[in-house]
């Protein structure tokens, strides 16, 4: 939990002449930052290429790796937004959020509740149950597809958003439960005992004591689930059949065929837009994430 | 019926509390048509690119205007994942009423002919006289007509005519001319220019063609559950590929790999005209022509034949078919829609040759009257008709595992990990083993 500050090169400074020391103080960061910027650029290059590709005509996209379009055009953005379907991309955005938002909320609530149970209550057979939960993480998702599909068909939920988020209400992502359990194990139960003495019941302990402390873990769970759900292709592909219900992940691939040349600039333009929510959420959550870490580490 | 109902009730009860607040928020669930008189809702699925989607949607709207009692819900995707989705739907008994299928999916879903509706049971709605016997035979499984072909497809040789002009060569018409073009391309244009580009799947197809022109037998013997080729035959294919690479006719696997895992028509060397040709389906050649950098053009080349060839060795099959769900409650309405899509003048005009030259005689006449039967895909169709084309390949040639086994052997050969003899032996062993397992 403790944050270790990176050690600065302070040892040599006293012995060196003043001018050399000044040079060194400037040279060090300059060198470090130029390396970081160069590496950062390299890492971000595919992302930049995608944004640049959205502004290129199609034949230019694959003929070079340069970023600057020779004949820039916003045709890809306009056509991509209109799509080749009866709907505009706004429909697909709103569908995505109608799946992702309930899914993230349900995942967080159910995972924290179940993790609290595993971490703090000594139920008989707890180890076995926890082992089973972890086993579900190792189970390949594809073996569940057909049985789940049949179950949701019996419920009459096909072509609705329900099969995509209702399972999250039952802590079906064992990985998230594991993550939160490990986080809870890392801090002592004395605070909770104090709260119990003060008259809290279990849920009040969870809400007033545990949740504020494990906030970083909760944010991580929400963040992971958000990104995975945004990118999920197979789930919506199987459960949603009406085009009007498609989320972004399906809509992006709807015009990619084997017999027709793909208008990649449209796909890239919409991919760029589709990336924005994830990027924004990540930057927004990152602040809380760090805040959560420091809050938890300073004082109990 | 009883246990099923109680299971449904049980499941519904188990989640009722949770689902209740959301049900209204979800999209309209599967509609019950029983209460509404005379309005039939059909579901239709297809895959395609943006052009196909637009044209197909417009055709559906015209169909609804023509038949006011029928509404059609469109369920379309790109190519990726379409088979996975259809597999789930068919196994869950929720497949659409009318669906576009690939020819080799017939062996996956309907080996006994019962996987799809027998279209011969709908003589009032479908005019089968508009199809020739050959194309109907392709859609027939175990005596039942499971699908109607939209178009027939073959793989032919298409060349970048601009590149050949720069090389000062006419388009090759024989295997010898193709082989001799390699060194000329290298000396006149440079080592990065090739007369033809083949990925490993294309190599398998061309190798098969090369062998079939001598043997005149389909490569896969479905009855015998094995290859119709000896070890020596497959070594001949391997040697053929070795020669194509050695004589600078096609780029090596190393060279192709250096461009990354990109579709052939999106490879830089194709776009810029360095790769002078492709072995492409006539239904899909449009995409290769579309991606070329401006100022270049694609032309159909003559199909090379070995001397004494008994058959051209074409891969010839329906480009795609329409099939009706075996358990649809509305077979007649689905057949009406199918017939409309294949024959209606407006629908046919709008689709043009996007799904390849149509098989349906009425559709063909509509396009002929409009003077629309032109272009490289139509020329391809005419070329196929003129070639000796009797051999019918088994659908198991396209089985993913068969295809992968061939490609693996060619890849090892290409990287020099196997010599020609060993590569042929490996194909013989691996593919035969797979065929014994997958043909049941």
């Amino acid at each position: 939990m403790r944050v270790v500050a990176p050690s600065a090169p302070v040892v040599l400074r006293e012995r060196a002449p003043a001018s050399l020391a000044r040079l060194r103080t400037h040279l060090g960061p300059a060198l470090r930052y130029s390396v970081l910027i160069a590496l950062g650029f390299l890492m971000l290059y595919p992302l930049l290429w995608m944004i640049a590709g959205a502004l290129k005509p199609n034949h230019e996209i694959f003929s070079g790796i340069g970023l600057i379009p020779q004949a820039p055009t916003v045709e890809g953005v306009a056509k991509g937004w209109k799509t080749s379907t009866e709907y505009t991309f706004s429909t697909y955005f709103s569908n995505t959020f109608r799946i992702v938002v309930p899914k993230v909320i349900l995942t967080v609530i159910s995972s924290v509740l179940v993790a609290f149970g595993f971490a703090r209550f000594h139920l008989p057979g707890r180890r076995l149950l926890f082992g089973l939960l972890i086993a579900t993480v190792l189970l390949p998702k594809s073996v569940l597809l057909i049985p789940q599909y049949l179950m949701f068909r019996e419920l009459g939920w096909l072509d609705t958003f329900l099969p995509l988020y209702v399972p999250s209400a039952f802590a079906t992502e064992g990985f998230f439960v594991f993550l939160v359990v490990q986080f809870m194990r890392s801090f002592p139960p004395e605070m909770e005992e104090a709260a119990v003495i003060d008259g809290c019941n279990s849920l009040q302990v969870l809400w007033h004591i545990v949740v504020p402390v494990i906030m970083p873990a909760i944010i991580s769970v929400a963040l992971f689930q958000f990104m995975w759900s945004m990118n999920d292709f197979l789930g919506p592909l199987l459960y949603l059949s009406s085009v009007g219900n498609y989320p972004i992940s399906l809509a992006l691939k709807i015009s990619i065929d084997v017999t027709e040349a793909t208008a990649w600039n449209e796909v890239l333009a919409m991919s760029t837009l589709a990336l924005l929510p994830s990027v924004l959420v990540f930057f927004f959550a990152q602040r809380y994430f760090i805040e959560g870490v420091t809050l938890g580490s300073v004082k109990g | 019926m009883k246990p099923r109902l109680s299971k449904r009730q049980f499941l519904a009860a188990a989640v009722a509390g949770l689902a209740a607040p959301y049900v209204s928020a979800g999209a309209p669930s599967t509609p019950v048509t029983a209460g509404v008189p005379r309005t039939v809702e059909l579901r239709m699925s297809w895959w395609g690119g943006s052009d196909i989607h637009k044209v197909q949607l417009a055709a559906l709207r015209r169909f609804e205007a023509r038949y006011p009692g029928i509404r059609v819900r469109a369920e379309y995707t790109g190519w990726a994942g379409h088979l996975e989705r259809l597999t789930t739907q068919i196994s869950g008994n929720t497949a659409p009423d009318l669906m576009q299928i690939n020819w080799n999916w017939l062996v996956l879903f309907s080996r006994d002919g019962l996987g799809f509706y027998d279209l011969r049971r709908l003589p009032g709605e479908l005019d089968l006289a508009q199809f020739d016997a050959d194309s109907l035979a392709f859609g027939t499984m175990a005596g039942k007509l499971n699908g109607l072909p939209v178009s027939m497809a073959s793989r032919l040789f298409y060349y970048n005519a601009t590149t050949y002009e720069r090389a000062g060569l006419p388009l090759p018409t024989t295997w010898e001319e193709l082989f001799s073009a390699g060194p000329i391309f290298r000396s006149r244009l440079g080592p990065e220019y090739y007369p033809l580009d083949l990925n490993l799947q294309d190599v398998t197809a061309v190798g098969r063609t090369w062998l079939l022109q001598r043997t005149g037998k389909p490569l896969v013997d479905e009855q015998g559950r094995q290859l119709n080729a000896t070890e020596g035959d497959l070594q001949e294919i391997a040697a053929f590929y070795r020669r194509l690479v050695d004589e600078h006719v096609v780029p090596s696997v190393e060279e192709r790999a250096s461009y990354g895992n990109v579709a052939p028509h999106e490879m830089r060397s194709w776009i810029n005209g360095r790769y002078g040709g492709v072995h492409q389906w006539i239904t899909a050649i449009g995409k290769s022509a579309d991606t070329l950098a401006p100022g270049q053009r694609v032309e159909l080349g003559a199909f090379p034949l070995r001397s004494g060839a008994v058959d051209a060795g074409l891969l010839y099959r329906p480009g795609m078919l329409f099939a009706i769900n075996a358990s649809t409650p509305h077979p007649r309405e689905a057949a009406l829609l199918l017939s409309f899509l294949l024959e209606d003048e407006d629908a046919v005009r709008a689709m043009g040759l996007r799904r390849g030259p149509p098989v349906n005689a009425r559709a063909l006449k509509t396009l002929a009257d409009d003077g629309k039967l032109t272009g490289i895909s139509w020329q391809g169709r005419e070329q196929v008709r003129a070639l000796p084309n009797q051999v019918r390949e088994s659908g198991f040639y396209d089985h993913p595992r068969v295809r992968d086994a061939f490609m693996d052997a060619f890849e090892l050969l290409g990287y020099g990990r196997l010599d020609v003899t060993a590569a042929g032996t490996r194909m013989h062993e691996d593919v035969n083993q797979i065929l014994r397992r997958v043909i049941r």
Side-chain angles (χ1 to χ4, degrees), chain A residues 121-143:
Chain A
F121 294 90
H122 295 273
L123 305 162
R126 184 177 66 148
R127 281 169 168 274
L128 178 73
L129 288 173
F130 194 64
L132 282 176
L133 184 88
I134 298 305
T136 63
V137 179
L138 305 175
L139 194 70
K141 286 265 183 293
S142 43
V143 303

Side-chain angles (χ1 to χ4, degrees), chain A residues 212 215-216 285-298:
Chain A
M215 202 42 110
Q286 196 186 29
R287 232 183 46 187
Y288 282 83
F289 188 78
I290 291 165
E291 204 171 80
V293 172
T294 46
L295 265 182
S297 63
V298 174

Side-chain angles (χ1 to χ4, degrees), chain A residues 86 149 153 240 254 258 264, chain B residues 53 76 85 92 94 266 287:
Chain A
E86 310 110 291
Y149 185 84
R153 186 196 65 185
L240 302 176
I254 203 168
V258 278
W264 282 108
Chain B
H53 295 329
Y76 48 99
R85 168 196 252 192
T94 57
E266 283 164 355
K287 68 178 175 185

Side-chain angles (χ1 to χ4, degrees), chain A residues 58-65 79 83-87 92 98 102 106 145-146 149-151 153-162 165-166 169-170 233-234 236-243 245-246 250 253-264 266, chain B residues 4 7-8 11-12 15 18-19 22-23 25-30 43 47-54 57 61 73-82 84-85 87-89 91-94 262 265-266 268 271-272 283-284 286-287 290-294 320 354:
Chain A
N58 269 313
H59 64 89
E60 235 184 79
I61 290 178
F62 289 98
S63 53
I65 59 160
K79 273 190 162 174
T83 76
S84 54
T85 67
E86 310 110 291
Y87 308 92
Y92 305 127
R98 282 166 66 190
L106 289 175
L145 286 178
I146 303 270
Y149 185 84
L150 297 180
M151 183 179 88
R153 186 196 65 185
E154 289 299 306
L155 292 169
W157 285 4
L158 294 183
D159 206 21
T160 72
F161 297 139
L162 295 171
Y165 62 76
V166 169
F170 299 95
F233 178 71
L234 197 60
L237 177 78
L238 296 183
Y239 293 122
L240 302 176
S241 49
S242 301
V243 179
N245 286 341
Y246 282 5
L250 284 190
K253 291 206 169 178
I254 203 168
S255 293
I256 304 181
D257 189 22
V258 278
T259 57
E260 212 175 290
T262 306
W264 282 108
E266 296 173 22
Chain B
R4 189 160 160 184
K7 186 168 70 182
R8 179 180 295 208
L11 283 169
V15 290
L18 198 106
Y22 299 105
V23 168
S29 51
T30 358
R43 292 164 57 213
W47 74 83
S50 15
D51 283 355
I52 298 264
H53 295 329
K54 281 182 197 153
L57 285 169
R61 259 173 248 129
R73 204 168 75 193
E75 303 177 356
Y76 48 99
T77 66
W79 169 252
H82 195 89
E84 286 82 347
R85 168 196 252 192
T87 308
T88 320
Q89 289 180 330
S91 61
N93 203 15
T94 57
V262 184
H265 65 282
E266 283 164 355
R268 211 184 322 159
I271 296 173
N272 295 334
T283 44
K287 68 178 175 185
D290 284 351
T291 48
L292 281 182
M320 60 194 65
R354 283 190 178 86

